[in-house]
Amino acid sequence: MATAANALRDRLEGFNAQQFPAGVDRAATAVLGRVGFDQSTYFSDASPAQLEALRKKLEGTSERDTLEAMKRLVALVSSGTDVSALFPSVVKNVVSSNMEVKRLVYMFLIHYADVEPDTILLSINAFQRDMKGPNPLIRASALRVMSSIRVKVISQLVKMAIKAAVIDSSPYVRKTAAHAISKLHAVDGELHDELVDMVAALLNDSSVLVLGSAIATFDEVCPDRFDLIHPVFRKLCHLLADLDEWGQTYAVRLLTRYARTQFVDPDPAAVEA
């Protein structure tokens, strides 16, 4: 039980101050406090009868019951319990006006997007609306769900969502756009050129929160397009120390490859030899 609680806490604490712009981290912290991770009952095993009770709460009209059901479901997911049978009941709540419910619903949908792609497609319009909402956490979550639906038929819709996210005012949403590019590229390689243009835009971003993810996406989508690195090389060197640990790892690897392929050997004797 304690292990499951810690796993869920670690998952949500990914939304921390290092990843979010000012203000959004406080919202994530508020979710942590309200969900009630110290209540071990959320992490106990669920019987078929209990799952049916959760289904009724999810399909009911009480926001309080829906929130309680979503807390229970996300806790069960974090403990490795398969609750995909409740997916249709959860996806209906993506239109909820309650931000706490919506955040938990998106966490659930991101986890099961690959398992239930046909069902989740029914809510694609809701995701598109949330992409235009005022909350950057919800915009990012909507994009994560859309890009996790590995169905080629919606590639154009996902591409348009990513294109909007690349120029979003929130660094966290732009960071999410970088990860979404990699996912879409794996689903539809025909969009390669357009996605490379988006990678180039993210590499020119001024936020270190975005740059680490942009570099990782560059490595996956267009690792040999060093022409995209030429104009940002000095900036990457200057901001290297400000990137997070993973971003620094990707950046050092990229800069090393760039130096080995683009710089002239400083030792003329070695060149002549």
Side-chain angles (χ1 to χ4, degrees), residues 62-121:
S62 170
E63 282 192 356
R64 181 176 180 179
D65 285 347
T66 301
L67 180 58
E68 286 299 311
M70 285 309 307
K71 291 177 184 180
R72 180 84 163 102
L73 282 180
V74 173
L76 289 171
V77 168
S78 72
S79 64
T81 303
D82 181 12
V83 290
S84 58
L86 296 182
F87 189 94
S89 299
V90 172
V91 77
K92 295 175 184 177
N93 288 288
V94 75
V95 297
S96 173
S97 59
N98 186 308
M99 287 297 103
E100 294 175 45
V101 171
K102 188 181 286 286
R103 291 168 187 171
L104 293 173
V105 166
Y106 270 122
M107 287 182 64
F108 184 95
L109 296 184
I110 289 168
H111 183 79
Y112 283 113
D114 285 338
V115 181
E116 299 280 352
D118 294 334
T119 305
I120 204 172
L121 281 175

Side-chain angles (χ1 to χ4, degrees), residues 115-219:
V115 181
E116 299 280 352
D118 294 334
T119 305
I120 204 172
L121 281 175
L122 299 175
S123 297
I124 196 72
N125 290 336
F127 304 147
Q128 290 178 301
R129 285 196 299 272
D130 282 345
M131 282 290 301
K132 300 176 182 178
N135 189 317
L137 178 58
I138 297 301
R139 294 201 300 273
S141 295
L143 180 58
R144 287 183 65 193
V145 173
M146 288 185 67
S147 61
S148 296
I149 306 172
R150 302 183 183 277
V151 179
K152 192 172 181 179
V153 69
I154 63 165
S155 293
Q156 290 297 327
L157 294 178
V158 178
K159 183 195 73 175
M160 292 172 60
I162 296 174
K163 190 173 182 179
V166 166
I167 57 174
D168 194 276
S169 60
S170 167
Y172 181 68
V173 176
R174 301 198 299 274
K175 174 188 176 75
T176 304
H179 295 300
I181 290 172
S182 298
K183 294 179 183 178
L184 181 57
H185 188 265
V187 173
D188 192 347
E190 296 177 5
L191 298 175
H192 176 80
D193 292 342
E194 293 175 84
L195 295 177
V196 169
D197 290 340
M198 297 181 198
V199 173
L202 291 172
L203 286 171
N204 279 284
D205 201 287
S206 59
S207 171
V208 293
L209 181 67
V210 179
L211 284 177
S213 298
I215 294 170
T217 300
F218 174 89
D219 271 353

